[in-house]
Amino acid sequence: MALFLTLWTVFLLALMHFSTCKSTESSDYLVFPIESLNTFIRSNEQCLDIEWTVNPHAYTLNLKMIFQIDIRRTTFSNIVENKNYTTTLIPNETLQWCWHSALPLECTSHLVRIRSMVDDERFPEFKFWSSWSSWWKSEGKDSSGQYHIFPVDKIYVEEDSNVTFCCISRTDNEKVDFSYEERYSQRTKLSPRTTMFEVNNVSFVRRGGSNAFCKFNSDNSNIQGVVVYITGVIEEPKNFSCQTRDLQTLNCTWDPGRDTFFPEKFIPTNYSLFEWFSQKKVNCVHRNWCTWQLTSDIQDMYNFTLTAENEVRKRRVDILFNVTQQVQPQLVGEISIKHVSETEATLKWKIIPNQKRLSFLCQIEVYHDGKVIQYNTSRSQFTLRELQPYTAYSTQVRCCTANHFWKWSEWKSKNFTTKEDVPSGALDVWRIVEPVSMGYNVKIFWKPLPTFQANGKIQNYIIVMKTLGEVHREDIFFSESDSNSTEKIIDQQSYEISVAAFNSVGSSTPSVIVVSGDTENSAQNITEERVNGTNDGIYLSWKPDPAKAEGYIVDWCNYPQDAVCDFQWRKFGPNTTSAIIRSAAFQPGVRYNFRIYGLSTKHEAYLLEKKTGYTQELALDCKPIVTVENLASTSLTLNWKDNCIDEPQYGFFNGYHIYMKSEVGGSCDQETEKQNFSDNIIVCKYTVPDTKQKTFNVKKLQPKSTYNFEVKAYTGGGDSLGSFIKVTTGTPENSNLIMTILFPMAFFSLLLIIGLNLKIQWVKEKCFPDIPDPYKSSVLSLMKFKGNIHQATLNTSDCIPDAIEVVNKSEISKMQGSRTLLMGNEITKPAYLYLLPTGKDALDSQTCICFENFTYRQDASDSDSSRQIQMIPTDPTRSVGPAEHLLNAEKDYIGSLDNIPAGEASLNYVSQLAPTGAISGDKGSTSSNLEAAPCSEYKMQMVMSTGLALSLLPEDDRPISVTSLDQLEKPC
């Protein structure tokens, strides 16, 4: 068992060794290392050409292989390019690949190595990289021992691209400065002698190019430079297309795009066409088009590549098309006109290319009288029908391919005229009849036939006049072709007039009108009516003819003021009763006269209405001169003179406008029209509708005011010129009378005032006496006061009332509820009432005058109802004295007062009497026995109710003397 295991192990080891050896041999068989490697520099393209070979057995098998290429600069730099290049080996062909370097290849040495691998589908299991080849070195100029700058001389680059320069010095580590249009450049040290500079996003500066310099050792003598030409980027050609006109030459066009900044002689852009089916190439001479000759054998499909290239870039664009679908036909020669008649004409034309290979669609357009008619045909000839005789036509033809539309051919044009024919239709005829001695002068007018009715050149007109009475007579005469009227004098008979036009073929249908003397005589009494113009013309309307006319005719003159008035007319149907008459000859300010006729079935015309009007009225060319008469304070009369008349050159003279403006402002009355202007000026306008009126009365003016007046003649077109007149109204007529009356009255009033001022004291004493001052009263001289006279108080027993007046008043509010007696300190302002005796005998030796009056002659109702009266009691030690007889003397009278309701009477102070002895100087009075009474102060009287006053008196008080109002003597 152990021996078997040993043998089995040896067998497996041997088998494994055999398998390894076989695999190695197979692997070596399908791996083809690089046998030879070589490089060289193409400086003009900055291309490093790399060439290499492998074992010839690989070429024999036509293997598809991948070659991996490494490139680096100098010995110690990193790899700058790692490229996989795939190709199928072809016997006797050297493998080649070009590497384009951003850095000029001369700046430094480049090292290249390559390895390979079979990538053939026939041997999918054997994909092994071969070993790398040795580094192949391509020497640069950095070892030349000379100063260099690369690129050299001049270079061409596109704008916005990056440019790399290198400066090579003689020795290692020399100082190098670089300059390019004063721009910063990134510096990179490639080797001890080579320095690289990168300029990014270069832009166009000038057509002469930009300069780049290398300065070595800061010595200006060691300068190396290069000129850089910046060109625009070549754009890809746009709208590339090809077409043929004759299936022999192909014309290709394109849009080259924007300019590249440089003339073609400096940096030419070359265009070429390459056709893939025939493998032919044509260099194009022009920048945007090129021609290609089609082959004689039939080839419909073409595949073109258009290439645009210059020193720095190449652009391509492709197109594939069928040449028979891109054909633009041509019409050769002129269009011919055959078989022209009055209403038909045949057109013929020739078209290329040959119609045997292609079918075409042609379009025909016919122009006449501003209108166009289109026809289509697939043939090279066409007959036009339904044409007008003796009419000029213009026609044009173009064609295109029928199966596949590409482009129309150019238009080919031709003019022709159809032949003449007999005139169609009838002339439009009208007349003017003017009475003359023993008959009428008839002017006959007609309008030339339009071209489509004349059907040829009109040679003359024939006029036939035939009587309709018992005696038949016929006159025939002719008129030239350029004439449109004639005239004839006829008698009183009715005539039938016919007019016809002749050309070389025949005559038109005669137009007939009848002239009757009766109808002309009956039109004399028709009045003329005014009509209004519109923006388009003059609007006319008329009443329908009760005789049911066959139609209506309106005639007028375009130039009514000229000798040749250009007579015009228009005909309307029987159902038309209005129209707007338009004419290019109508002008503003010209009056046009219209006559409206009815036309009977017998071709007899009779006048219905007359109209007159303007398209636009203008103001009259006149200027009224104004004068003023009868000038008064509130009215005046305006008179004016003028030469304004109803002239047909301006408008209908309708009257006058009178404008009035007040210099002090004011309003307008109802008879005027108020006009407000932007400067707040108010103008009043009077209208005088009578053109013959030359005077006007203006009323309701303000006296002594200035007015401006202006008179203007007016039409529907506005006012004429006018002249201003300024008028100032007078003073009122009764002002002198008023002054005559007022002045004396004012004078005497002044004298009266002066006299009263001189006697003011006397007037005051008589009419307005002063209220006596108790302090200054002579009564005080009869009394002896204790202490200060101003502090003395008069007791009630010391004062005897003179009189109390009781006045009945129904409106006085009742005071019965106010009889409550407030005593002591309950009244803030106590009111005192002192009653004096009447009569001279009632005054004793101790009497004094003292009273308080809150209001003078004021009704009790006006005083505060809440006011309460406090009676100061008399001294109980004093005797009443001789005044007691007063109560008995007045008892009857006071009794009568009890019948007066409370609140219906009032008390008024009447007078104040000094003591009898003091006033009259009675010698019998004993003034020396009088004691000074406490009343030393004069106070206002107070009004109080009669009932209240009586109720306040105690039984032992002094009597009150009451007198009637009639018994009082009032002051002046």
Side-chain angles (χ1 to χ4, degrees):
M1 187 65 182
L3 179 62
F4 175 77
L5 291 174
T6 301
L7 294 174
W8 180 251
T9 301
V10 172
F11 174 75
L12 290 175
L13 290 172
L15 182 61
M16 290 175 61
H17 178 73
F18 177 77
S19 299
T20 302
C21 292
K22 186 172 181 61
S23 298
T24 301
E25 181 180 358
S26 299
S27 175
D28 291 341
Y29 176 75
L30 294 177
V31 173
F32 301 97
I34 304 301
E35 293 187 353
S36 65
L37 177 61
N38 193 15
T39 62
F40 60 92
I41 297 174
R42 283 189 286 173
S43 298
N44 57 341
E45 300 178 7
Q46 282 299 303
C47 173
L48 180 63
D49 262 335
I50 304 172
E51 295 181 353
W52 68 94
T53 60
V54 293
N55 190 289
H57 184 62
Y59 293 97
T60 303
L61 296 176
N62 297 114
L63 293 176
K64 181 181 179 182
M65 299 186 66
I66 298 176
F67 297 94
Q68 189 174 34
I69 305 171
D70 283 350
I71 302 175
R72 68 181 183 184
R73 298 187 181 104
T74 68
T75 305
F76 305 103
S77 67
N78 295 326
I79 293 175
V80 295
E81 184 69 44
N82 179 265
K83 175 70 175 181
N84 286 340
Y85 174 72
T86 301
T87 186
T88 300
L89 301 182
I90 300 174
N92 301 322
E93 183 181 63
T94 302
L95 297 172
Q96 185 179 9
W97 180 69
C98 182
W99 175 63
H100 293 275
S101 173
L103 177 70
L105 296 173
E106 297 87 351
C107 292
T108 186
S109 299
H110 291 79
L111 300 176
V112 180
R113 67 176 181 177
I114 304 175
R115 65 177 179 175
S116 64
M117 181 177 64
V118 175
D119 188 25
D120 203 308
E121 295 179 355
R122 294 172 294 174
F123 308 101
E125 70 278 9
F126 299 109
K127 289 187 178 181
F128 303 100
W129 284 108
S130 70
S131 58
W132 286 102
S133 68
S134 300
W135 287 100
W136 178 266
K137 186 176 183 180
S138 175
E139 294 289 344
K141 296 294 184 178
D142 52 348
S143 60
S144 64
Q146 300 294 327
Y147 292 115
H148 293 286
I149 182 173
F150 290 101
V152 296
D153 296 335
K154 59 183 178 180
I155 61 172
Y156 302 94
V157 296
E158 293 178 342
E159 64 173 342
D160 297 329
S161 61
N162 300 330
V163 184
T164 303
F165 300 89
C166 69
C167 299
I168 302 176
S169 59
R170 288 183 177 179
T171 60
D172 295 345
N173 300 323
E174 285 190 42
K175 183 179 180 181
V176 178
D177 291 330
F178 178 77
S179 174
Y180 176 80
E181 294 294 338
E182 299 181 356
R183 289 184 54 179
Y184 170 78
S185 302
Q186 183 177 356
R187 177 191 298 260
T188 303
K189 194 73 172 177
L190 296 180
S191 67
R193 296 185 181 184
T194 302
T195 305
M196 179 177 69
F197 299 92
E198 289 183 300
V199 180
N200 298 324
N201 300 323
V202 294
S203 59
F204 178 81
V205 178
R206 65 186 71 89
R207 288 188 178 271
S210 301
N211 298 319
F213 299 98
C214 291
K215 297 180 182 180
F216 302 95
N217 295 324
S218 301
D219 186 357
N220 292 335
S221 61
N222 294 325
I223 297 176
Q224 298 292 322
V226 62
V227 179
V228 181
Y229 293 97
I230 311 299
T231 178
V233 179
I234 296 179
E235 293 185 354
E236 182 179 281
K238 302 177 182 64
N239 302 324
F240 177 41
S241 65
C242 297
Q243 69 175 23
T244 181
R245 307 297 303 270
D246 52 8
L247 290 179
Q248 295 179 3
T249 301
L250 194 65
N251 299 310
C252 297
T253 59
W254 59 88
D255 179 9
R258 66 170 185 169
D259 188 13
T260 57
F261 306 142
F262 269 90
E264 292 293 325
K265 64 180 181 179
F266 293 124
I267 307 179
T269 300
N270 299 316
Y271 294 90
S272 62
L273 283 176
F274 178 77
E275 206 285 307
W276 290 90
F277 295 119
S278 62
Q279 292 292 305
K280 293 182 180 180
K281 181 179 180 180
V282 173
N283 293 322
C284 301
V285 178
H286 302 282
R287 186 169 178 260
N288 57 351
W289 65 275
C290 193
T291 60
W292 182 278
Q293 296 299 321
L294 299 177
T295 58
S296 57
D297 56 337
I298 299 175
Q299 179 185 344
D300 292 341
M301 298 301 299
Y302 286 85
N303 186 4
F304 282 103
T305 296
L306 173 64
T307 302
E309 59 180 333
N310 62 8
E311 294 286 343
V312 295
R313 188 177 291 274
K314 181 183 294 185
R315 299 283 191 180
R316 292 185 178 90
V317 61
D318 299 321
I319 186 174
L320 175 66
F321 62 92
N322 187 329
V323 70
T324 60
Q325 295 179 355
Q326 297 187 191
V327 178
Q328 183 182 14
Q330 281 183 297
L331 298 183
V332 181
E334 294 184 353
I335 300 174
S336 61
I337 307 294
K338 303 292 183 182
H339 310 296
V340 179
S341 66
E342 293 85 357
T343 59
E344 294 183 356
T346 300
L347 309 178
K348 288 186 178 181
W349 59 90
K350 182 180 180 181
I351 186 172
I352 58 173
N354 193 341
Q355 289 183 320
K356 293 180 180 180
R357 293 187 59 188
L358 300 172
S359 60
F360 297 96
L361 174 66
C362 295
Q363 188 179 80
I364 303 166
E365 291 184 350
V366 180
Y367 294 88
H368 167 64
D369 196 21
K371 299 179 181 179
V372 59
I373 303 175
Q374 284 189 351
Y375 304 95
N376 294 325
T377 182
S378 60
R379 302 175 59 191
S380 59
Q381 71 175 19
F382 187 79
T383 300
L384 302 175
R385 293 180 173 84
E386 298 181 359
L387 303 177
Q388 294 292 334
Y390 197 67
T391 303
Y393 289 92
S394 176
T395 183
Q396 59 182 7
V397 181
R398 65 178 181 178
C399 300
C400 69
T401 54
N403 296 332
H404 187 277
F405 175 78
W406 174 248
K407 289 181 181 179
W408 287 104
S409 67
E410 294 83 1
W411 287 103
K412 282 286 186 177
S413 301
K414 186 69 175 180
N415 299 328
F416 67 94
T417 303
T418 55
K419 294 183 178 181
E420 292 188 8
D421 198 359
V422 178
S424 61
L427 293 170
D428 186 359
V429 179
W430 190 232
R431 87 292 182 278
I432 297 178
V433 180
E434 297 175 345
V436 294
S437 60
M438 302 302 293
Y440 299 95
N441 182 30
V442 180
K443 295 181 180 180
I444 304 170
F445 298 87
W446 59 85
K447 295 179 181 179
L449 290 173
T451 303
F452 68 91
Q453 289 183 340
N455 295 337
K457 183 178 180 181
I458 299 301
Q459 297 178 352
N460 53 44
Y461 297 94
I462 181 170
I463 298 98
V464 179
M465 301 185 66
K466 183 168 53 177
T467 60
L468 298 177
E470 295 180 356
V471 179
H472 294 281
R473 187 172 66 251
E474 183 175 295
D475 293 334
I476 301 175
F477 50 94
F478 295 89
S479 180
E480 298 297 331
S481 60
D482 57 349
S483 175
N484 64 347
S485 67
T486 188
E487 60 181 302
K488 189 75 173 178
I489 296 178
I490 62 174
D491 53 23
Q492 298 289 342
Q493 300 184 72
S494 296
Y495 281 82
E496 180 185 88
I497 303 173
S498 64
V499 184
F502 274 83
N503 64 10
S504 61
V505 180
S507 69
S508 65
T509 302
S511 298
V512 179
I513 57 174
V514 175
V515 177
S516 174
D518 295 337
T519 59
E520 298 300 327
N521 293 331
S522 63
Q524 302 299 324
N525 298 326
I526 297 178
T527 58
E528 196 172 53
E529 180 185 352
R530 291 183 179 183
V531 293
N532 298 322
T534 65
N535 294 331
D536 296 331
I538 298 178
Y539 176 76
L540 302 179
S541 63
W542 56 89
K543 296 179 181 179
D545 182 18
K548 295 183 179 180
E550 188 182 52
Y552 301 96
I553 298 177
V554 178
D555 65 14
W556 72 93
C557 286
N558 275 340
Y559 304 100
Q561 307 301 323
D562 297 347
V564 180
C565 74
D566 188 18
F567 183 68
Q568 300 291 327
W569 68 93
R570 281 184 61 185
K571 294 182 177 180
F572 301 93
N575 298 324
T576 303
T577 58
S578 64
I580 296 178
I581 306 301
R582 301 179 179 89
S583 175
F586 286 168
Q587 295 181 355
V590 177
R591 185 182 301 179
Y592 298 95
N593 301 313
F594 301 90
R595 294 178 297 181
I596 303 172
Y597 291 85
L599 190 64
S600 68
T601 55
K602 296 180 180 180
H603 307 292
E604 186 177 2
Y606 47 93
L607 184 63
L608 295 177
E609 297 181 22
K610 293 181 181 180
K611 309 284 185 178
T612 182
Y614 298 82
T615 57
Q616 180 183 352
E617 294 187 58
L618 301 179
L620 296 177
D621 186 15
C622 62
K623 185 177 182 180
I625 305 301
V626 186
T627 59
V628 177
E629 295 180 356
N630 302 328
L631 180 61
S633 60
T634 60
S635 64
L636 55 84
T637 300
L638 298 176
N639 295 326
W640 61 87
K641 298 179 180 180
D642 59 70
N643 58 348
C644 302
I645 58 175
D646 190 7
E647 297 183 357
Q649 290 84 357
Y650 298 100
F652 295 116
F653 183 19
N654 297 322
Y656 298 93
H657 284 154
I658 301 175
Y659 296 93
M660 180 185 72
K661 182 181 70 174
S662 174
E663 292 189 354
V664 297
S667 60
C668 301
D669 56 30
Q670 296 180 353
E671 298 178 358
T672 64
E673 178 183 345
K674 183 179 179 181
Q675 295 180 344
N676 293 323
F677 295 91
S678 58
D679 52 358
N680 296 326
I681 296 178
I682 298 176
V683 176
C684 304
K685 183 175 75 172
Y686 298 88
T687 300
V688 179
D690 187 0
T691 59
K692 297 181 180 180
Q693 181 177 338
K694 306 293 182 180
T695 182
F696 186 78
N697 294 326
V698 183
K699 302 177 181 179
K700 299 180 181 180
L701 302 178
Q702 296 295 326
K704 301 184 68 175
S705 299
T706 301
Y707 295 89
N708 291 324
F709 291 93
E710 185 178 21
V711 180
K712 296 181 178 181
Y714 73 91
T715 65
D719 294 340
S720 67
L721 297 176
S723 58
F724 283 96
I725 185 170
K726 181 181 291 187
V727 179
T728 301
T729 57
T731 58
E733 291 76 4
N734 57 354
S735 61
N736 295 329
L737 178 60
I738 295 174
M739 294 300 296
T740 304
I741 297 174
L742 291 181
F743 182 76
M745 292 179 63
F747 178 74
F748 286 113
S749 298
L750 181 60
L751 292 179
L752 181 61
I753 293 172
I754 294 174
L756 291 177
N757 286 334
L758 295 177
K759 295 294 184 177
I760 189 63
Q761 188 64 30
W762 176 81
V763 173
K764 182 177 180 183
E765 292 176 355
K766 293 298 183 180
C767 298
F768 308 101
D770 292 337
I771 298 175
D773 187 352
Y775 297 132
K776 300 178 181 180
S777 178
S778 60
V779 178
L780 300 180
S781 62
L782 302 178
M783 303 180 183
K784 295 180 179 180
F785 297 97
K786 297 178 181 181
N788 192 352
I789 186 172
H790 296 287
Q791 296 177 354
T793 302
L794 183 63
N795 296 327
T796 55
S797 60
D798 299 329
C799 298
I800 300 175
D802 181 11
I804 294 179
E805 175 188 9
V806 178
V807 181
N808 293 333
K809 295 185 69 176
S810 59
E811 66 272 10
I812 299 176
S813 60
K814 295 181 180 182
M815 301 296 293
Q816 299 297 334
S818 303
R819 293 183 178 181
T820 305
L821 181 63
L822 302 179
M823 302 300 295
N825 296 327
E826 294 181 2
I827 302 300
T828 58
K829 289 185 177 182
Y832 302 99
L833 179 64
Y834 303 99
L835 306 178
L836 301 179
T838 60
K840 298 180 179 180
D841 57 347
L843 184 63
D844 58 8
S845 60
Q846 298 181 350
T847 302
C848 70
I849 301 172
C850 183
F851 54 87
E852 182 176 5
N853 184 9
F854 287 97
T855 143
Y856 182 71
R857 295 190 62 81
Q858 183 174 352
D859 296 339
S861 62
D862 295 334
S863 62
D864 191 354
S865 60
S866 63
R867 183 184 302 271
Q868 303 297 325
I869 301 176
Q870 179 180 2
M871 302 298 298
I872 301 177
T874 59
D875 187 1
T877 60
R878 298 180 63 92
S879 61
V880 176
E884 291 181 355
H885 70 279
L886 290 175
L887 183 62
N888 296 326
E890 304 295 338
K891 185 178 297 183
D892 295 336
Y893 185 74
I894 295 175
S896 65
L897 294 176
D898 293 337
N899 297 326
I900 300 174
E904 295 184 0
S906 62
L907 302 181
N908 291 333
Y909 167 76
V910 175
S911 63
Q912 170 181 304
L913 298 177
T916 305
I919 297 173
S920 62
D922 188 2
K923 297 181 179 180
S925 62
T926 57
S927 58
S928 58
N929 297 328
L930 292 174
E931 295 180 2
C935 54
S936 61
E937 182 176 1
Y938 173 78
K939 297 183 179 180
M940 296 296 293
Q941 291 176 324
M942 179 186 69
V943 178
M944 64 178 293
S945 174
T946 305
L948 179 60
L950 296 177
S951 64
L952 294 176
L953 292 176
E955 294 180 358
D956 55 353
D957 238 339
R958 294 178 182 269
I960 299 175
S961 177
V962 180
T963 62
S964 173
L965 181 63
D966 297 333
Q967 297 172 345
L968 298 177
E969 294 181 3
K970 297 182 179 179
C972 61

